[in-house]
Amino acid sequence: MPAIRVTKTEAEPVKRRLKKLGLYDGKRRPKREGEFVLLPVPEDERVYSLGYEVLPLELPLRPERQLYKNLESVLTGRLSEEELKHLRRYDIVGDIAIIQVPRELSHRVDDIVWGLRKVHPFIRVVAQKGFHEGAFRIREYSIIWGERRLETVHKENGVRIKVDLSKAFFNPRMKGERYRLAQLVRDGERILIPFAGVLPYALVIARYKRVKITAVELNREAYELGLENIELNRERLRGEIEFIHGDVFDVLPELPAHDRVISPTPRGVDALALTLDRAEKWLHYYDFVHEADVGAFRTRILDACAMLGKECEVRVKKVSDFKPHVFKVCADVRIR
Ligand SMILES: C[S@@+](CC[C@H](N)C(=O)[O-])C[C@H]1O[C@@H](n2cnc3c(N)ncnc32)[C@H](O)[C@@H]1O
């Protein structure tokens, strides 16, 4: 990818011009070089006819792209171009790297582990992930390098989350979503979190807001990790967390309504009517929806509101890709 070299005073107006022309590569970071600034541009012949100095160099990717790209770049030369195309996105949970190795790369596992350790020297375990299993949504993992454990402490949004991937569900990719919710919450709210897992949502919200949270989880091992997590973060939390071990479908009908309910619903479980019934002002309901069914999902929520005599506004937000054409979504339901 080339870069355009301009003086510091020219940098802002030139950047604006490039953006207008669709010739600014926002995935990369500009770089200062003495009195000059290097602006990232795509490989496009129009770049050479703008009258600026164009240099053939590769500016660094911004952090969110870097994670994957760095692995790709350290493996360039070891893996063929064709093999590099099969590299999948991976996750880092604490000091564990979690990867998927497609069939096409099964003979390259050692190189991939080598690359991961080069990009993330702190990792102590590399695990290959399988599918989520059963009601507790625990994945199958096989450790392919390092210490024989799946327990670690993950840092996210200013909290420490102890997880054991062999015993309880945890998804580091929901970090941004947890932060989004923490920003929506106001001090003083009473919040109910069914399907709470090891408490990532509760911890992040209580870290930032003075709230009272009641969380419910059925998996005994996730529940115990959650209790440990409350202690681990005790000094950091502004809010309070009460954690109940039990089945959401038994526990929720016994609980009072709360200002806000956050339901990270496991796939295939329908807890819409139950969670909506316990919500006074807001429900954030997660589900997995085919892109063609988003409208029907919204209608289903509006119907459930009508059944409960609640007047609601519903906004459905795509949270992540799940599989082709199917998304994990969050319905933000405002109850009037
Ligand atoms: C998709 S995971 C979400 C966990 C957690 N909120 C997170 O984001 O990491 C769903 C969680 O619901 C729990 N679960 C499943 N069925 C349940 C039930 N009937 N009552 C309570 N918890 C349940 C599972 O054990 C799992 O921890």
Side-chain angles (χ1 to χ4, degrees), residues 135-138 168-171 174 178 193-201 216-219 222 246-249 264-267 269 288 328:
F136 295 162
R137 314 304 296 145
I138 300 168
F169 175 98
F170 179 72
N171 184 353
M174 290 301 113
R178 293 190 260 271
I193 309 184
F195 311 110
V198 298
L199 291 180
Y201 283 86
V216 184
E217 169 60 47
L218 183 57
N219 175 358
D247 188 323
V248 162
F249 291 91
T265 332
R267 194 164 128 77
V269 171
F288 297 82
K328 178 169 184 173

Side-chain angles (χ1 to χ4, degrees), residues 7-52:
T7 61
K8 272 199 291 191
T9 43
E10 284 175 310
E12 263 319 301
V14 173
K15 183 173 162 181
R16 276 200 295 276
R17 182 177 176 212
L18 291 168
K19 278 190 174 173
K20 249 193 195 156
L21 295 168
L23 290 176
Y24 187 77
D25 183 0
K27 294 191 205 99
R28 289 170 188 275
R29 258 196 235 155
K31 190 176 164 198
R32 278 242 186 119
E33 219 187 45
E35 285 310 290
F36 295 94
V37 176
L38 299 165
L39 299 172
V41 286
E43 190 65 79
D44 182 315
E45 58 189 33
R46 288 179 296 157
V47 162
Y48 299 88
S49 57
L50 297 173
Y52 304 121

